[in-house]
Structure formats: structure tokens, C-alpha cells
Amino acid sequence: MEIKQYSVKRPFRGIVAGIHAWGKGIVFTLLFLLLALSGNAQKAPGVANGKIIGRIVDSTTGQPVQFASISLALQTDNKEINGMMTDDKGAFVLTNVAEGTYKLSIFSIGYKSGVKNNIVVSKAIPNVTIGDVKLVNTTSKLSDVTVAADKNVIENHVDKMVYNVDKDMTSQTGVAADVLKKIPQVDVDVDGNVELQGNADIRFLIDGKPSTVFGNNLADVLQSIPASQIQSIEVITSPGAKYEAEGTAGIINIILKKSKVQGINGNVSLSGGTRLENGSFNLNARKGNFGAHAYVSGNAQLTSTTQNTITNTAKDTGSTTSQLLQNGPSDFWRRGYQSGAGIDWDITPKNNITANVGYSYYGNSNAGTMNSETVIRDASENVLSDMSDILAASNHFNQHTLDENVNYKHTFTKKDEELDMWVGNSTNTSDLYYMQTAQYPTNNYIYSGSYGENPGTSQETHFSMDYTDPIGKGVTIAAGGMAVLDNITSTSNVYLLDPTDGNYNYSTTQSSSLNYKSNIYDGYVSGSGQLFKWLDAQAGARYEYTEINATYSNSGNVGIQPYGSFIPSVLFSHTFAKNQTLKMSYSRRIQRPNYGNLNPFVNASNPQNITTGNPGLQPEIGDKLELGYNKSLGKGKDIYLTLFYRDNTHDIQPYTTYYSAYRVGDSTYDNTYVTVPSNIGHETNIGANIFASIPVEKKLTFRSNISLYQRYINTGLSTGGNISGFNYRLNLNTTYKFSKTLTAEAFINYNSSRINAQGTYPAFLTYNFAIRKDIFKDQGSIALTATNPFNYYINQTTNLTGDNFTLVNTRELPYQSFGINFTYKFGKLEFKKEKETEDPNLNPPQEN
């Protein structure tokens, strides 16, 4: 990857300005068109008035098949004359159908295609309701007591991508971060940091609900949730108006395992390995209209030693040059566990209530010793001073999170009309602790030291209501609102060593406290329908009003004015013949600074490399255009292409500054580098993603994913410039079935180096192998996995550059691991298929 300085105007500035002006008007214009066209099209003279109405459902579960492709053709010549996609309820309405006899073709990924023949539209019966059309899962098995449905690993829908984790063997002994790296458009580095289309500002949800667990240390959470606990992961790159606007990159929704079938059932999964160990237990019970579930899981990353080398070179305001050399090992470990329970109760056929509670803990520890040398030279390279010392430092972090939510849904007599309300509360209690000492290497005299404690609490309460109404003629409107009340408190207690007596004394000038309150009130309206007889459209707008009150003990009240955010979104899609779908979308998103970015706690565990938060951060705004094309070639072959353009203003990134003398309270740190999250002007990304799933034969399947994007950064800071760089990601997943019960899989992933406002993050290569044997009549399985079996370390070199310094950080990170996983599914499933009346007109399509 090459980084280039550039002075030309940032590309597509005119496009972004146009988007801002166009977004507000287009949403309401489209909503008007949806209503006007649907209401007037059938009344226009000379236009047919017929309609074909139906719903697509799963043949075994009866659940709606969302976003299935519908194609209408004349029965006589197979010429396609109309088409659309089913909505999120599996329903469709084909309008403006002339008199005649038609054939309806249905296609959805993971299902056998179906055809409904001899649909007659006439003057006598212009509106034809065909009811539920049932599609058969591609490899579903049905008996009196057992139902098992085999889905594709990746499913593409018009508004999201779904990754079914059960089908991913090489991640079975791993964690959520190992799963995410397999998903198209998602990047995960070796430390578990995640980007979506090159953007790290992602709104993470668990079972569709937000949680404060993601606010402190996202990498910790994703490195601690066992993959065996996850049912699927949904990725939404252009969320509509019904979604909360948080997260400029989009939404990633982690869905935990649960079951809605009758009876008692569950599964247990245990993994052991040289680097990772985890386990999970799930229990589900349902009788009639009442169901309950519970789960517990845990994860441990065993202690490993990383070799660190840091070389910093800085020029002072004078003519002297300071060079800092640090090297030494550090030991790291991570622990985490999650538990939860919930109920699902159909009080009446039209009233449902669900309630869930979850508790989780995550923690890590990092401790090591570094040899440190500071050399100061004059302009002629003469050594003015050469000081060496030994730094001993440790960092410990833990957080406890309690999530509670209750959801109520009411359906009306009118089909698909519903009211959905929920209230949720999430409380996160965290604690960060560091300790450091510096001593002379000659006599081991400890001349400096400190430790700090940073307990804090984040509480977030949600109130939400959504109403959906199919107003007829293929048009659906939705409206709703939400209130989010967030309260963060944080205390920083710092103690400084008195080397004369060895005591640590409380520092009143370095200790501090933070109280941060944020109230967000929002509302939205959206509509969906068909334009011009062939174009499916969704349009909406959300308005969010934010109030913030922040008090920092060392600087008093931080003045942040209330602000409003207008969030428009538009999506167009069209389904062509031969299972092709084209979609185009525009969305605006907002990224408010999280607890970790706001926390002013000064972490001086390494006095020459200090980190701290920034209570004065502004929210980041992102506008995105996206074009997607999907084509299914049948028999498991699938191609998906995405092009995107994203522009972020007030982009939040870490920014490092060199100080020859940096004062914190009553302490002064010499020749130190301070990293603070900052609003970095503008960032523009232009990229593409190509995903393909190609079964070579019945036993061998290839899945490949390629991400490419060009990034432009205009820092807007006096100490920064404008840079650009090209980034790419390649991976390949291969599956081979030796038999019905024995499968092998290999995965290789390469990420190029990535730029930020000051330099580059390192490239890396990872690869995984797994083999799984199904046992106990497919109720159990044993899997063996290996990660980077031929390389114990991954070498990581980060390069940062400022106005007067360069920083090079090299790590030898242990990454090799071997593991074994055992999974067992238990319980008698009492789901039974109802007897069906065979429809002679519903037949599988004939192959060419």
C-alpha cells in the first residue's frame, strides 16, 4: 500500500454537497409518489386493473420467506412481464396486471425454486389471491419428531447479509471476532478491531437490541463471545429509517442461539486449545404459546507473551533530536463469560410479549518489563545525554454488564398491521487499573512510579415504539419514535510514588471525575411500495435531537449545545429475470463518541506513550451511496457485487502528539507521546466488494471475498496534512465433503496495510484449517482446528508520523493455536408438519 500526499480538492465534494441538499427533499417526494402512483395507476385509462396477491412461506416451519424474488410471466411464452421481492413478512402484491393466464416463479437463497402455474386474471375476477406458496428448504429433513433445515453459510437479502455461524467449521473453537472476519465487507485485525467497508464506527447489537457492553472495549467483547454461542450475524450496510441512526459504518447484529420449536431441546459446546478455550450451554423449552430459553457461555485466551519494540524520533523546537528506544516482553490474558434467560409468550393470537435479561463479564490483563533508553543529540549528531532505565508496567481492565428488555407486539385484524413497543435498560460497570515504576539499571533504585484506578458506570435506557400499516395497493407505511437516556460517571484516582519513603500518595491535581449525560429523542416515517410497475422503493427520514451535559472536575462544565440531526434514507431495487437483483441506496448515519473516547482518564502506564480521552468530541456524520448487484446461478452458485462511496465529517480517530515536556497535574513527563481521540476533518472512501460462492462439484465448494477501497483523509488540524492510500482485503474459504458425516475446511485471509490520519497500520496474513466428524446420528460433532499452524508469531509494524516526530512500533504477536471442539444437540423436538393439500399447479421449475 502506498501513501500519497495530495493537494487537489477532495474528490466528489460536489456529490456530497448535492447529497445533503437532495436527501431532505427526495425522501418526502418519494413517499408522496408511492402513495400517488399506487392510488392512481390503476385508475388511469387504458391500464389493466388486475392484482395478484400472495405470501411465500417455509414449507416446514410456516415462517415467511423474506425478500424472495417473484417473477410473473405469461403461461404461453414464458416472457417475463412483472416482478418484485417479498417484504419482511413474505408478502407480495403484483399490480397493474392485464387479463390473461400467468405463471409465477419464486426463488430464494437456501430454498428450492417453485412455480405457480395457471393463474387467471379476468374482468370477472381481477384481483387474485393465491394464498401461501410454500418453498422447500434445499436440504431439509422431516420426520415425526425432528426438523433440521440446512441453510447456506451466507444469505443475501435486499437490505442485509446473514452469516449462519453453525455452518462455519473453522470458527467453532473460536470467538465472535473469528466469525466476523469471514463475512464479506467486514475486516478484523489480529487484535479484534473491526471495520465495515473500511469504517470502524459500527453499531453493534445483540439480538437486535443495543447494549452498553460495546461502549468500553469492543475488541474485548468480540474476543470473548464463543462462536458456539452465536446462531447468525446480520450485516446492514445501509440501514433504513426504522433503525437508530447510530454508527456511520452501519449495523452488525449478533443473534444468539435460541429455538422456537415445541418441546425441550438445547445444545452444549466445549472447546479446548493451546491459545483459546471456550464453552456454551443453551436450553430451550416451549409448550403451546409459551416459550423460555436460558444460556451460559465462557471464554478464555490463555496467557501469551508478546515481544515489543518501540523506536521514536522527535525534533524539539530547538535543534536537538530526541530518540526513544524501548523493548521488552509483555504477558497478556483475557477472560469473559455471558449468561441470560428470556421468555416468549403469545398472550392471545394478536398479542405477544418477550422479555430477556443478560449478564456478562469481560476482563484482560497486560503486564511486562521494558528496557528504555533516551538519547538526545544536537544538530551535529553529537550526543548530549544518554539515559537508560527499566520500566515495569501493568494494565488490568474488567467490566460487568446487565441488560434487561421487554418487548410487546400487537397485530391487528388487517394483515401485516402491527404495533411494536419495547423498553430496555443496560448498565455497564467497569474498572481500569494501571501501575508503573521506573528504576535505574545500575543499582535497581526505583526513582519514579504511579498507579491509577478508574472505576466508571454507564447506564443507557431505551423507550421505543413502531407502527406499521399496509395501507393497500402495495404500499406500506411505518412510523415510530425512540428516547435514549444515557448517563456516564467516571472517577480517576491517581497515586504518585514518593521514592524517599516508598509510599504512594494521592494526587489531587491528577485525580479527576466525569459526569456525562446524553438524552436523545427521535422519530421517523418511512414508506415502501412499487414505482412505475417495476421498481421497488423504500424511503424514509429520521430526526434525532440530542441534549448533552458534561461536567469534568478539572475544567468544570463542558459546553455542548443541543443539536438536531436529519437522517434520510432511500433504497431502490429491481428483480430481473434469471434471479438477478440490482439495488441502489443512500443513507446518512451519525457516530456519537462513546465512553472510551470521552473518558479523560490519563493512562500513564508507559510514561513515554500516554493515552487519554476527550470529553469535548463532536459527533461524526457519514453519508453513503451504495450500489449492489446479486445473481444466483443455481445449485449454490452466487455472486454479489457492491460499490460504495462514503464521506465522513468530524471523523473520530486517535491522534498522537509529541511533547518535550507534558504536564499532568503536578507531574511533568519528558519526551512523551500523547494519543487522544480527535475529530479529524473529512474522510472519504470509495470502494468495491466482490463475493462469490462457487460449488465446483457436489463435494467441493469455494467462497471468495475481495474488498478494495481508496481512502482520502483531510485532517483539518494545524499539525496534520492530507493523505490518501489504497487498501485491500482478500480471502478464500474452501469446503470439501468426504462423506455425509466428514467435512474439511480451509480459510486464508490477507489484509493490506491501512492508513490513518498519521500513518499506517500493518498488513497481516492468517489461515485456518478444520475437519469435523458428525457423530450420534448427526446430533453431535467433533472438530479439530488449527490457526496459523506454520507460524507461531504474526509480525506487526505500525508507523506514525507527526510534524516533528516519527514513531515505529513493532510487535511479535503469538497467534498460532490448535483446538478441539465437541458439540452435542439434545432434546426431542415436538414440531410436527401439518398435513398439506397438494396443489397440482405448484411444481418445481424444469431445468434447461
Side-chain angles (χ1 to χ4, degrees), residues 494-514:
V494 178
Y495 298 83
L496 304 179
L497 173 67
D498 184 346
T500 60
D501 58 16
N503 293 325
Y504 286 85
N505 301 315
Y506 181 79
S507 172
T508 57
T509 57
Q510 291 197 37
S511 301
S512 63
S513 63
L514 170 72

Side-chain angles (χ1 to χ4, degrees), residues 451-669:
Y451 74 85
E453 300 172 324
N454 179 216
T457 300
S458 175
Q459 183 173 18
E460 189 173 277
T461 304
H462 283 72
F463 302 92
S464 175
M465 181 173 66
D466 301 275
Y467 173 72
T468 304
D469 186 12
I471 61 176
K473 301 182 177 64
V475 176
T476 298
I477 62 172
M482 178 183 290
V484 183
L485 312 179
D486 197 3
N487 186 15
I488 297 173
T489 59
S490 173
T491 302
S492 173
N493 300 313
V494 178
Y495 298 83
L496 304 179
L497 173 67
D498 184 346
T500 60
D501 58 16
N503 293 325
Y504 286 85
N505 301 315
Y506 181 79
S507 172
T508 57
T509 57
Q510 291 197 37
S511 301
S512 63
S513 63
L514 170 72
N515 195 333
Y516 183 95
K517 293 183 179 180
S518 169
N519 296 335
I520 303 170
Y521 309 98
D522 61 48
Y524 76 93
V525 60
S526 67
S528 62
Q530 195 173 70
L531 294 171
F532 317 117
K533 306 179 186 179
W534 58 273
L535 184 65
D536 294 316
Q538 300 176 23
R542 192 178 192 99
Y543 183 80
E544 298 191 345
Y545 181 76
T546 305
E547 297 176 335
I548 296 176
N549 184 3
T551 303
Y552 179 35
S553 63
N554 286 5
S555 58
N557 196 333
V558 180
I560 303 175
Q561 293 296 318
Y563 58 90
S565 305
F566 178 77
I567 312 293
S569 61
V570 181
L571 185 148
F572 300 104
S573 65
H574 178 67
T575 300
F576 298 88
K578 298 182 180 179
N579 305 317
Q580 302 177 86
T581 302
L582 183 68
K583 70 172 184 178
M584 183 178 70
S585 65
Y586 161 74
S587 63
R588 179 178 296 170
R589 306 283 292 170
I590 186 170
Q591 179 67 41
R592 299 175 181 87
N594 61 31
Y595 172 60
N597 290 328
L598 295 167
N599 188 359
F601 175 65
V602 176
N603 189 332
S605 57
N606 184 339
Q608 271 67 52
N609 290 279
I610 293 174
T611 61
T612 184
N614 181 1
L617 282 173
Q618 299 180 51
E620 175 183 316
I621 304 294
D623 289 279
K624 181 162 65 174
L625 286 169
E626 186 173 318
L627 181 66
Y629 170 77
N630 185 87
K631 179 176 177 58
S632 178
L633 304 175
K635 298 181 179 180
K637 297 180 181 178
D638 196 40
I639 297 174
Y640 189 68
L641 171 66
T642 302
L643 305 176
F644 68 89
Y645 168 85
R646 185 184 67 251
D647 181 83
N648 287 1
T649 57
H650 296 149
D651 199 46
I652 299 174
Q653 289 192 28
Y655 200 83
T656 301
T657 305
Y658 168 75
Y659 296 90
S660 57
Y662 183 73
R663 189 167 182 82
V664 181
D666 49 4
S667 298
T668 299
Y669 298 93

Side-chain angles (χ1 to χ4, degrees), residues 262-529:
Q262 295 288 330
I264 298 176
N265 61 86
N267 63 77
V268 60
S269 179
L270 299 172
S271 299
T274 58
R275 192 170 71 96
L276 295 175
E277 295 181 343
N278 62 63
S280 65
F281 174 77
N282 296 270
L283 182 65
N284 305 281
R286 176 168 287 273
K287 182 68 175 179
N289 61 355
F290 184 85
H293 70 274
Y295 68 89
V296 61
S297 63
N299 171 271
Q301 180 175 328
L302 305 181
T303 302
S304 60
T305 301
T306 299
Q307 301 294 328
N308 305 280
T309 301
I310 301 174
T311 303
N312 299 343
T313 303
K315 290 188 177 181
D316 294 332
T317 53
S319 58
T320 60
T321 300
S322 172
Q323 186 177 53
L324 171 67
L325 304 174
Q326 293 182 323
N327 66 82
S330 61
D331 293 333
F332 179 83
W333 58 258
R334 177 183 280 120
R335 304 285 188 271
Y337 62 83
Q338 311 81 39
S339 60
I343 62 168
D344 183 351
W345 181 22
D346 293 321
I347 305 172
T348 71
K350 295 185 179 300
N351 294 279
N352 170 268
I353 186 169
T354 60
N356 295 277
V357 60
Y359 178 81
S360 58
Y361 163 84
Y362 304 101
N364 67 59
S365 177
N366 191 7
T369 301
M370 301 189 75
N371 295 311
S372 181
E373 181 182 15
T374 302
V375 181
I376 299 178
R377 296 180 173 88
D378 61 17
S380 301
E381 294 296 315
N382 297 313
V383 176
L384 301 179
S385 67
D386 188 343
M387 298 179 59
S388 297
D389 49 22
I390 299 174
L391 297 177
S394 61
N395 285 275
H396 306 280
F397 172 79
N398 67 77
Q399 63 175 356
H400 304 258
T401 304
L402 177 65
D403 291 307
E404 307 151 294
N405 62 78
V406 178
N407 197 101
Y408 168 75
K409 179 180 290 186
H410 174 74
T411 56
F412 297 83
T413 302
K414 184 195 297 186
K415 186 178 180 182
D416 295 332
E417 182 185 6
E418 64 181 38
L419 177 67
D420 198 336
M421 297 184 294
W422 74 276
V423 59
N425 185 75
S426 182
T427 303
N428 180 284
T429 302
S430 64
D431 191 10
L432 173 64
Y433 170 86
Y434 83 85
M435 184 172 186
Q436 64 86 14
T437 60
Q439 64 185 52
Y440 296 122
T442 53
N443 57 11
N444 294 328
Y445 175 69
I446 298 178
Y447 66 88
S448 175
S450 66
Y451 74 85
E453 300 172 324
N454 179 216
T457 300
S458 175
Q459 183 173 18
E460 189 173 277
T461 304
H462 283 72
F463 302 92
S464 175
M465 181 173 66
D466 301 275
Y467 173 72
T468 304
D469 186 12
I471 61 176
K473 301 182 177 64
V475 176
T476 298
I477 62 172
M482 178 183 290
V484 183
L485 312 179
D486 197 3
N487 186 15
I488 297 173
T489 59
S490 173
T491 302
S492 173
N493 300 313
V494 178
Y495 298 83
L496 304 179
L497 173 67
D498 184 346
T500 60
D501 58 16
N503 293 325
Y504 286 85
N505 301 315
Y506 181 79
S507 172
T508 57
T509 57
Q510 291 197 37
S511 301
S512 63
S513 63
L514 170 72
N515 195 333
Y516 183 95
K517 293 183 179 180
S518 169
N519 296 335
I520 303 170
Y521 309 98
D522 61 48
Y524 76 93
V525 60
S526 67
S528 62

